[in-house]
Amino acid sequence: MDIKRLNNMMSDHGIHSRERLLIPISSPELLIDGTCYIEFDTYAKREAAVLYLKGAPEKKPSCLLNRVTSVHGRRRIINSLRRSMQVDDETAQYYLSISNGNPRAALSEFSADLEWERHGSLA
């Protein structure tokens, strides 16, 4: 896959206007002992595994969306919670909202509520 197609560009002129470019790797061995970050690139309109040469991003480029606040990312989190909790979308959204967008905390809150209901019905 060439750089223009990976970055959703029609011509070479777009290379100079970007804050960063996604570059395909030729050999998966480059990823051994490295840490990849899954990020959504707004220009390329796709998620990509990003390997930073210095180990971690120094600053978040403005072309990245915060996946938790993006519509796409939020939808994926809600779907995951819905399946894990075996509830409807509204219930998953409720627990995500009371946990400030933290999926693990949402699951913990849900588990605590289930436990409370079980103990309350036994008393």
Side-chain angles (χ1 to χ4, degrees), residues 43-98:
Y43 292 122
K45 296 182 174 101
R46 70 182 71 210
E47 288 180 335
V50 180
L51 177 66
Y52 289 94
L53 298 177
K54 295 181 181 174
E58 291 178 12
K59 68 176 186 86
K60 194 167 192 128
S62 62
C63 64
L64 296 179
L65 289 177
N66 184 343
R67 291 190 57 197
V68 173
T69 59
S70 73
V71 174
H72 175 70
R74 185 167 174 79
R75 183 78 246 154
R76 288 181 63 188
I77 291 170
I78 290 170
N79 285 340
S80 176
L81 285 173
R82 180 179 47 81
R83 286 190 306 271
S84 297
M85 297 174 178
Q86 298 177 349
V87 295
D88 58 15
D89 278 7
E90 289 75 21
T91 304
Q93 288 175 356
Y94 167 75
Y95 281 100
L96 188 62
S97 69
I98 65 169

Short mmCIF file of all heavy atoms in Angstrom, two decimals, residues 43-98:
data_model
loop_
_atom_site.label_atom_id
_atom_site.label_comp_id
_atom_site.label_asym_id
_atom_site.label_seq_id
_atom_site.Cartn_x
_atom_site.Cartn_y
_atom_site.Cartn_z
N TYR A 43 -7.42 12.56 9.08
CA TYR A 43 -7.17 12.78 7.66
C TYR A 43 -7.29 11.48 6.87
O TYR A 43 -7.91 11.43 5.82
CB TYR A 43 -5.77 13.37 7.44
CG TYR A 43 -5.60 14.76 7.96
CD1 TYR A 43 -4.64 15.06 8.90
CD2 TYR A 43 -6.42 15.80 7.52
CE1 TYR A 43 -4.48 16.34 9.40
CE2 TYR A 43 -6.27 17.08 8.00
CZ TYR A 43 -5.30 17.35 8.94
OH TYR A 43 -5.15 18.61 9.41
N ALA A 44 -6.70 10.42 7.38
CA ALA A 44 -6.74 9.14 6.69
C ALA A 44 -8.10 8.46 6.87
O ALA A 44 -8.43 7.53 6.14
CB ALA A 44 -5.63 8.23 7.18
N LYS A 45 -8.86 8.91 7.86
CA LYS A 45 -10.18 8.35 8.16
C LYS A 45 -10.11 6.86 8.45
O LYS A 45 -10.91 6.07 7.95
CB LYS A 45 -11.17 8.64 7.03
CG LYS A 45 -11.44 10.11 6.85
CD LYS A 45 -12.46 10.35 5.76
CE LYS A 45 -12.82 11.80 5.71
NZ LYS A 45 -12.20 12.54 4.69
N ARG A 46 -9.13 6.48 9.25
CA ARG A 46 -8.97 5.08 9.62
C ARG A 46 -8.17 4.97 10.91
O ARG A 46 -7.45 5.87 11.29
CB ARG A 46 -8.28 4.30 8.50
CG ARG A 46 -6.82 4.66 8.32
CD ARG A 46 -6.18 3.92 7.19
NE ARG A 46 -6.71 4.45 5.96
CZ ARG A 46 -6.85 3.74 4.84
NH1 ARG A 46 -6.45 2.52 4.79
NH2 ARG A 46 -7.35 4.28 3.76
N GLU A 47 -8.36 3.81 11.55
CA GLU A 47 -7.54 3.50 12.71
C GLU A 47 -6.24 2.89 12.22
O GLU A 47 -6.22 2.19 11.22
CB GLU A 47 -8.25 2.51 13.63
CG GLU A 47 -9.42 3.12 14.37
CD GLU A 47 -10.10 2.12 15.27
OE1 GLU A 47 -10.01 0.91 15.01
OE2 GLU A 47 -10.73 2.56 16.24
N ALA A 48 -5.17 3.17 12.94
CA ALA A 48 -3.86 2.64 12.55
C ALA A 48 -3.07 2.31 13.81
O ALA A 48 -3.21 2.95 14.84
CB ALA A 48 -3.11 3.68 11.72
N ALA A 49 -2.25 1.28 13.68
CA ALA A 49 -1.30 0.96 14.75
C ALA A 49 -0.10 1.88 14.54
O ALA A 49 0.53 1.85 13.49
CB ALA A 49 -0.88 -0.50 14.68
N VAL A 50 0.19 2.71 15.53
CA VAL A 50 1.25 3.71 15.40
C VAL A 50 2.42 3.31 16.30
O VAL A 50 2.25 3.06 17.49
CB VAL A 50 0.73 5.11 15.78
CG1 VAL A 50 1.82 6.15 15.64
CG2 VAL A 50 -0.47 5.48 14.93
N LEU A 51 3.59 3.25 15.71
CA LEU A 51 4.82 2.96 16.44
C LEU A 51 5.63 4.24 16.50
O LEU A 51 6.03 4.78 15.47
CB LEU A 51 5.62 1.86 15.73
CG LEU A 51 6.95 1.49 16.33
CD1 LEU A 51 6.75 0.85 17.70
CD2 LEU A 51 7.69 0.53 15.42
N TYR A 52 5.86 4.76 17.70
CA TYR A 52 6.64 5.98 17.86
C TYR A 52 8.10 5.61 18.04
O TYR A 52 8.43 4.70 18.80
CB TYR A 52 6.14 6.79 19.06
CG TYR A 52 4.80 7.42 18.82
CD1 TYR A 52 3.63 6.79 19.21
CD2 TYR A 52 4.70 8.64 18.17
CE1 TYR A 52 2.40 7.36 18.97
CE2 TYR A 52 3.47 9.22 17.92
CZ TYR A 52 2.32 8.57 18.33
OH TYR A 52 1.11 9.15 18.09
N LEU A 53 8.97 6.31 17.37
CA LEU A 53 10.39 6.01 17.42
C LEU A 53 10.99 6.24 18.80
O LEU A 53 11.92 5.57 19.20
CB LEU A 53 11.14 6.82 16.37
CG LEU A 53 10.73 6.54 14.92
CD1 LEU A 53 11.49 7.45 13.97
CD2 LEU A 53 10.97 5.08 14.56
N LYS A 54 10.44 7.19 19.54
CA LYS A 54 10.97 7.49 20.87
C LYS A 54 10.18 6.79 21.97
O LYS A 54 10.31 7.12 23.13
CB LYS A 54 10.96 9.00 21.11
CG LYS A 54 11.92 9.72 20.17
CD LYS A 54 11.92 11.20 20.41
CE LYS A 54 12.86 11.86 19.43
NZ LYS A 54 12.81 13.30 19.51
N GLY A 55 9.36 5.82 21.61
CA GLY A 55 8.66 5.00 22.59
C GLY A 55 7.24 5.43 22.90
O GLY A 55 6.39 4.61 23.13
N ALA A 56 6.98 6.74 22.91
CA ALA A 56 5.64 7.24 23.22
C ALA A 56 5.45 8.59 22.55
O ALA A 56 6.43 9.29 22.28
CB ALA A 56 5.45 7.36 24.72
N PRO A 57 4.22 8.97 22.31
CA PRO A 57 4.00 10.28 21.69
C PRO A 57 4.41 11.40 22.64
O PRO A 57 4.15 11.34 23.84
CB PRO A 57 2.50 10.31 21.43
CG PRO A 57 1.92 9.25 22.28
CD PRO A 57 2.99 8.25 22.55
N GLU A 58 5.11 12.41 22.10
CA GLU A 58 5.52 13.55 22.92
C GLU A 58 4.33 14.46 23.20
O GLU A 58 4.14 14.93 24.29
CB GLU A 58 6.62 14.33 22.22
CG GLU A 58 7.92 13.55 22.16
CD GLU A 58 9.01 14.31 21.42
OE1 GLU A 58 8.85 15.51 21.15
OE2 GLU A 58 10.03 13.68 21.10
N LYS A 59 3.56 14.71 22.18
CA LYS A 59 2.33 15.48 22.34
C LYS A 59 1.31 14.89 21.39
O LYS A 59 1.64 14.20 20.45
CB LYS A 59 2.54 16.96 22.02
CG LYS A 59 2.83 17.24 20.55
CD LYS A 59 2.93 18.73 20.31
CE LYS A 59 3.06 19.02 18.83
NZ LYS A 59 1.81 19.10 18.13
N LYS A 60 0.08 15.16 21.68
CA LYS A 60 -0.98 14.61 20.84
C LYS A 60 -1.17 15.54 19.64
O LYS A 60 -1.53 16.70 19.80
CB LYS A 60 -2.27 14.50 21.64
CG LYS A 60 -3.30 13.67 20.97
CD LYS A 60 -4.40 13.34 21.93
CE LYS A 60 -5.24 12.27 21.29
NZ LYS A 60 -5.44 11.15 22.12
N PRO A 61 -0.93 15.06 18.41
CA PRO A 61 -1.13 15.90 17.24
C PRO A 61 -2.59 16.32 17.12
O PRO A 61 -3.49 15.59 17.53
CB PRO A 61 -0.74 14.99 16.07
CG PRO A 61 0.08 13.91 16.67
CD PRO A 61 -0.40 13.75 18.07
N SER A 62 -2.82 17.50 16.57
CA SER A 62 -4.18 18.01 16.47
C SER A 62 -5.03 17.21 15.50
O SER A 62 -6.24 17.31 15.52
CB SER A 62 -4.15 19.48 16.05
OG SER A 62 -3.56 19.60 14.78
N CYS A 63 -4.40 16.39 14.65
CA CYS A 63 -5.18 15.63 13.68
C CYS A 63 -5.79 14.37 14.28
O CYS A 63 -6.55 13.68 13.63
CB CYS A 63 -4.33 15.26 12.47
SG CYS A 63 -2.95 14.17 12.86
N LEU A 64 -5.49 14.07 15.54
CA LEU A 64 -6.05 12.88 16.18
C LEU A 64 -7.31 13.24 16.94
O LEU A 64 -7.41 14.30 17.54
CB LEU A 64 -5.05 12.27 17.16
CG LEU A 64 -3.77 11.72 16.57
CD1 LEU A 64 -2.89 11.18 17.69
CD2 LEU A 64 -4.06 10.64 15.56
N LEU A 65 -8.26 12.34 16.94
CA LEU A 65 -9.45 12.51 17.75
C LEU A 65 -9.27 11.77 19.06
O LEU A 65 -8.65 10.72 19.11
CB LEU A 65 -10.67 11.90 17.04
CG LEU A 65 -11.20 12.62 15.83
CD1 LEU A 65 -12.35 11.82 15.23
CD2 LEU A 65 -11.68 13.99 16.19
N ASN A 66 -9.80 12.31 20.10
CA ASN A 66 -9.84 11.58 21.36
C ASN A 66 -10.91 10.51 21.20
O ASN A 66 -12.08 10.81 21.07
CB ASN A 66 -10.20 12.54 22.50
CG ASN A 66 -10.17 11.86 23.83
OD1 ASN A 66 -10.20 10.64 23.93
ND2 ASN A 66 -10.13 12.66 24.87
N ARG A 67 -10.50 9.24 21.18
CA ARG A 67 -11.42 8.16 20.84
C ARG A 67 -12.59 8.06 21.80
O ARG A 67 -13.66 7.63 21.41
CB ARG A 67 -10.67 6.84 20.78
CG ARG A 67 -9.74 6.80 19.61
CD ARG A 67 -9.17 5.45 19.39
NE ARG A 67 -10.24 4.50 19.22
CZ ARG A 67 -10.07 3.20 19.34
NH1 ARG A 67 -8.91 2.71 19.62
NH2 ARG A 67 -11.07 2.37 19.18
N VAL A 68 -12.40 8.46 23.04
CA VAL A 68 -13.50 8.35 23.99
C VAL A 68 -14.57 9.37 23.67
O VAL A 68 -15.75 9.10 23.81
CB VAL A 68 -12.98 8.52 25.43
CG1 VAL A 68 -14.12 8.58 26.42
CG2 VAL A 68 -12.03 7.39 25.77
N THR A 69 -14.20 10.56 23.21
CA THR A 69 -15.19 11.58 22.92
C THR A 69 -15.66 11.54 21.48
O THR A 69 -16.63 12.18 21.15
CB THR A 69 -14.63 12.98 23.23
OG1 THR A 69 -13.45 13.19 22.44
CG2 THR A 69 -14.31 13.13 24.69
N SER A 70 -15.01 10.82 20.61
CA SER A 70 -15.47 10.74 19.23
C SER A 70 -16.72 9.88 19.17
O SER A 70 -16.94 8.98 19.98
CB SER A 70 -14.39 10.17 18.32
OG SER A 70 -14.25 8.78 18.55
N VAL A 71 -17.57 10.17 18.22
CA VAL A 71 -18.81 9.42 18.06
C VAL A 71 -18.51 7.95 17.79
O VAL A 71 -19.11 7.06 18.40
CB VAL A 71 -19.65 10.03 16.92
CG1 VAL A 71 -20.88 9.19 16.64
CG2 VAL A 71 -20.04 11.46 17.25
N HIS A 72 -17.58 7.70 16.90
CA HIS A 72 -17.22 6.32 16.55
C HIS A 72 -16.69 5.56 17.76
O HIS A 72 -17.10 4.43 18.04
CB HIS A 72 -16.19 6.34 15.42
CG HIS A 72 -15.65 5.00 15.04
ND1 HIS A 72 -16.42 4.07 14.40
CD2 HIS A 72 -14.44 4.43 15.23
CE1 HIS A 72 -15.70 2.97 14.20
NE2 HIS A 72 -14.49 3.18 14.70
N GLY A 73 -15.78 6.16 18.48
CA GLY A 73 -15.19 5.51 19.65
C GLY A 73 -16.20 5.28 20.76
O GLY A 73 -16.23 4.22 21.39
N ARG A 74 -17.04 6.27 21.00
CA ARG A 74 -18.06 6.14 22.04
C ARG A 74 -19.04 5.02 21.69
O ARG A 74 -19.45 4.25 22.56
CB ARG A 74 -18.79 7.46 22.22
CG ARG A 74 -19.78 7.45 23.37
CD ARG A 74 -20.24 8.85 23.72
NE ARG A 74 -21.27 8.84 24.71
CZ ARG A 74 -21.08 8.68 26.00
NH1 ARG A 74 -19.86 8.53 26.47
NH2 ARG A 74 -22.09 8.68 26.84
N ARG A 75 -19.40 4.93 20.42
CA ARG A 75 -20.33 3.88 19.98
C ARG A 75 -19.72 2.50 20.21
O ARG A 75 -20.40 1.57 20.65
CB ARG A 75 -20.64 4.10 18.49
CG ARG A 75 -21.62 3.13 17.90
CD ARG A 75 -23.04 3.51 18.29
NE ARG A 75 -23.56 2.46 19.15
CZ ARG A 75 -24.51 2.60 20.05
NH1 ARG A 75 -25.06 3.76 20.25
NH2 ARG A 75 -24.91 1.62 20.78
N ARG A 76 -18.44 2.36 19.91
CA ARG A 76 -17.77 1.07 20.12
C ARG A 76 -17.71 0.70 21.59
O ARG A 76 -17.90 -0.45 21.96
CB ARG A 76 -16.36 1.11 19.54
CG ARG A 76 -16.36 1.11 18.01
CD ARG A 76 -14.98 1.11 17.43
NE ARG A 76 -14.29 -0.11 17.82
CZ ARG A 76 -13.02 -0.34 17.59
NH1 ARG A 76 -12.29 0.58 16.99
NH2 ARG A 76 -12.45 -1.47 17.95
N ILE A 77 -17.46 1.67 22.45
CA ILE A 77 -17.41 1.42 23.89
C ILE A 77 -18.78 1.01 24.40
O ILE A 77 -18.92 0.04 25.16
CB ILE A 77 -16.88 2.65 24.65
CG1 ILE A 77 -15.40 2.85 24.33
CG2 ILE A 77 -17.10 2.51 26.15
CD1 ILE A 77 -14.84 4.15 24.83
N ILE A 78 -19.82 1.72 23.96
CA ILE A 78 -21.18 1.39 24.40
C ILE A 78 -21.57 -0.01 23.92
O ILE A 78 -22.15 -0.79 24.68
CB ILE A 78 -22.18 2.45 23.93
CG1 ILE A 78 -21.94 3.75 24.70
CG2 ILE A 78 -23.62 1.98 24.08
CD1 ILE A 78 -22.68 4.95 24.18
N ASN A 79 -21.24 -0.34 22.69
CA ASN A 79 -21.54 -1.69 22.18
C ASN A 79 -20.83 -2.76 23.00
O ASN A 79 -21.39 -3.80 23.31
CB ASN A 79 -21.16 -1.82 20.71
CG ASN A 79 -22.13 -1.12 19.80
OD1 ASN A 79 -23.27 -0.85 20.17
ND2 ASN A 79 -21.68 -0.80 18.60
N SER A 80 -19.58 -2.51 23.34
CA SER A 80 -18.81 -3.45 24.14
C SER A 80 -19.42 -3.62 25.54
O SER A 80 -19.58 -4.74 26.04
CB SER A 80 -17.36 -3.00 24.24
OG SER A 80 -16.63 -3.85 25.07
N LEU A 81 -19.77 -2.50 26.17
CA LEU A 81 -20.40 -2.57 27.49
C LEU A 81 -21.74 -3.28 27.42
O LEU A 81 -22.07 -4.09 28.30
CB LEU A 81 -20.59 -1.16 28.07
CG LEU A 81 -19.34 -0.47 28.59
CD1 LEU A 81 -19.66 0.97 28.97
CD2 LEU A 81 -18.77 -1.21 29.78
N ARG A 82 -22.52 -2.97 26.40
CA ARG A 82 -23.83 -3.60 26.24
C ARG A 82 -23.71 -5.12 26.17
O ARG A 82 -24.45 -5.85 26.82
CB ARG A 82 -24.51 -3.05 24.98
CG ARG A 82 -25.89 -3.62 24.71
CD ARG A 82 -26.53 -3.02 23.45
NE ARG A 82 -25.66 -2.98 22.30
CZ ARG A 82 -25.42 -4.02 21.49
NH1 ARG A 82 -25.96 -5.19 21.73
NH2 ARG A 82 -24.63 -3.88 20.45
N ARG A 83 -22.73 -5.59 25.39
CA ARG A 83 -22.52 -7.04 25.28
C ARG A 83 -22.00 -7.63 26.59
O ARG A 83 -22.45 -8.70 27.00
CB ARG A 83 -21.53 -7.34 24.15
CG ARG A 83 -22.12 -7.16 22.77
CD ARG A 83 -21.20 -7.70 21.69
NE ARG A 83 -19.86 -7.14 21.73
CZ ARG A 83 -19.47 -6.04 21.11
NH1 ARG A 83 -20.33 -5.37 20.38
NH2 ARG A 83 -18.24 -5.60 21.22
N SER A 84 -21.09 -6.96 27.24
CA SER A 84 -20.52 -7.46 28.49
C SER A 84 -21.56 -7.52 29.60
O SER A 84 -21.60 -8.48 30.38
CB SER A 84 -19.34 -6.60 28.95
OG SER A 84 -18.31 -6.65 28.01
N MET A 85 -22.37 -6.48 29.69
CA MET A 85 -23.38 -6.40 30.75
C MET A 85 -24.66 -7.15 30.41
O MET A 85 -25.48 -7.40 31.28
CB MET A 85 -23.73 -4.93 31.03
CG MET A 85 -22.62 -4.07 31.53
SD MET A 85 -23.23 -2.37 31.61
CE MET A 85 -21.83 -1.53 32.28
N GLN A 86 -24.85 -7.44 29.12
CA GLN A 86 -26.07 -8.05 28.61
C GLN A 86 -27.29 -7.19 28.93
O GLN A 86 -28.27 -7.64 29.52
CB GLN A 86 -26.24 -9.47 29.14
CG GLN A 86 -25.11 -10.38 28.70
CD GLN A 86 -25.23 -11.78 29.26
OE1 GLN A 86 -26.03 -12.05 30.14
NE2 GLN A 86 -24.40 -12.67 28.75
N VAL A 87 -27.16 -5.90 28.54
CA VAL A 87 -28.23 -4.92 28.77
C VAL A 87 -28.49 -4.17 27.47
O VAL A 87 -27.83 -4.39 26.46
CB VAL A 87 -27.82 -3.92 29.88
CG1 VAL A 87 -27.67 -4.63 31.22
CG2 VAL A 87 -26.55 -3.17 29.52
N ASP A 88 -29.45 -3.24 27.52
CA ASP A 88 -29.73 -2.41 26.35
C ASP A 88 -28.77 -1.22 26.27
O ASP A 88 -27.99 -0.97 27.19
CB ASP A 88 -31.19 -1.94 26.35
CG ASP A 88 -31.55 -1.14 27.60
OD1 ASP A 88 -30.63 -0.72 28.33
OD2 ASP A 88 -32.74 -0.93 27.85
N ASP A 89 -28.83 -0.49 25.15
CA ASP A 89 -27.92 0.64 24.92
C ASP A 89 -28.05 1.71 26.00
O ASP A 89 -27.04 2.27 26.46
CB ASP A 89 -28.20 1.29 23.56
CG ASP A 89 -27.52 0.56 22.42
OD1 ASP A 89 -26.95 -0.52 22.65
OD2 ASP A 89 -27.58 1.08 21.29
N GLU A 90 -29.29 2.02 26.40
CA GLU A 90 -29.51 3.10 27.35
C GLU A 90 -28.88 2.78 28.71
O GLU A 90 -28.31 3.65 29.37
CB GLU A 90 -31.01 3.38 27.51
CG GLU A 90 -31.64 4.03 26.29
CD GLU A 90 -31.87 3.07 25.12
OE1 GLU A 90 -31.91 1.82 25.35
OE2 GLU A 90 -31.96 3.54 23.99
N THR A 91 -28.97 1.53 29.13
CA THR A 91 -28.37 1.13 30.40
C THR A 91 -26.85 1.23 30.33
O THR A 91 -26.20 1.74 31.25
CB THR A 91 -28.79 -0.30 30.77
OG1 THR A 91 -30.22 -0.36 30.81
CG2 THR A 91 -28.22 -0.72 32.11
N ALA A 92 -26.27 0.77 29.21
CA ALA A 92 -24.82 0.87 29.03
C ALA A 92 -24.39 2.34 29.02
O ALA A 92 -23.38 2.70 29.63
CB ALA A 92 -24.41 0.18 27.74
N GLN A 93 -25.17 3.21 28.34
CA GLN A 93 -24.85 4.64 28.31
C GLN A 93 -24.93 5.25 29.71
O GLN A 93 -24.11 6.09 30.07
CB GLN A 93 -25.80 5.37 27.37
CG GLN A 93 -25.55 5.10 25.92
CD GLN A 93 -26.59 5.75 25.02
OE1 GLN A 93 -27.55 6.35 25.47
NE2 GLN A 93 -26.39 5.61 23.71
N TYR A 94 -25.92 4.83 30.48
CA TYR A 94 -26.06 5.34 31.85
C TYR A 94 -24.82 5.03 32.68
O TYR A 94 -24.24 5.91 33.31
CB TYR A 94 -27.31 4.76 32.51
CG TYR A 94 -27.34 5.02 34.00
CD1 TYR A 94 -27.65 6.28 34.49
CD2 TYR A 94 -27.03 4.01 34.90
CE1 TYR A 94 -27.64 6.53 35.86
CE2 TYR A 94 -27.03 4.24 36.27
CZ TYR A 94 -27.33 5.51 36.73
OH TYR A 94 -27.32 5.75 38.09
N TYR A 95 -24.41 3.76 32.69
CA TYR A 95 -23.26 3.39 33.51
C TYR A 95 -21.97 4.03 33.01
O TYR A 95 -21.11 4.39 33.81
CB TYR A 95 -23.13 1.86 33.58
CG TYR A 95 -24.10 1.27 34.57
CD1 TYR A 95 -25.28 0.70 34.15
CD2 TYR A 95 -23.83 1.32 35.93
CE1 TYR A 95 -26.19 0.17 35.07
CE2 TYR A 95 -24.73 0.81 36.86
CZ TYR A 95 -25.91 0.25 36.42
OH TYR A 95 -26.79 -0.26 37.32
N LEU A 96 -21.85 4.22 31.70
CA LEU A 96 -20.68 4.92 31.17
C LEU A 96 -20.69 6.39 31.60
O LEU A 96 -19.65 6.94 31.95
CB LEU A 96 -20.64 4.80 29.64
CG LEU A 96 -19.37 5.30 28.97
CD1 LEU A 96 -18.15 4.50 29.42
CD2 LEU A 96 -19.51 5.23 27.45
N SER A 97 -21.87 6.99 31.63
CA SER A 97 -21.94 8.41 32.02
C SER A 97 -21.65 8.62 33.50
O SER A 97 -20.99 9.59 33.87
CB SER A 97 -23.31 9.00 31.66
OG SER A 97 -24.32 8.46 32.48
N ILE A 98 -22.12 7.72 34.37
CA ILE A 98 -21.86 7.92 35.80
C ILE A 98 -20.42 7.57 36.18
O ILE A 98 -19.97 7.92 37.26
CB ILE A 98 -22.85 7.14 36.69
CG1 ILE A 98 -22.69 5.63 36.52
CG2 ILE A 98 -24.26 7.60 36.46
CD1 ILE A 98 -23.45 4.82 37.55
#
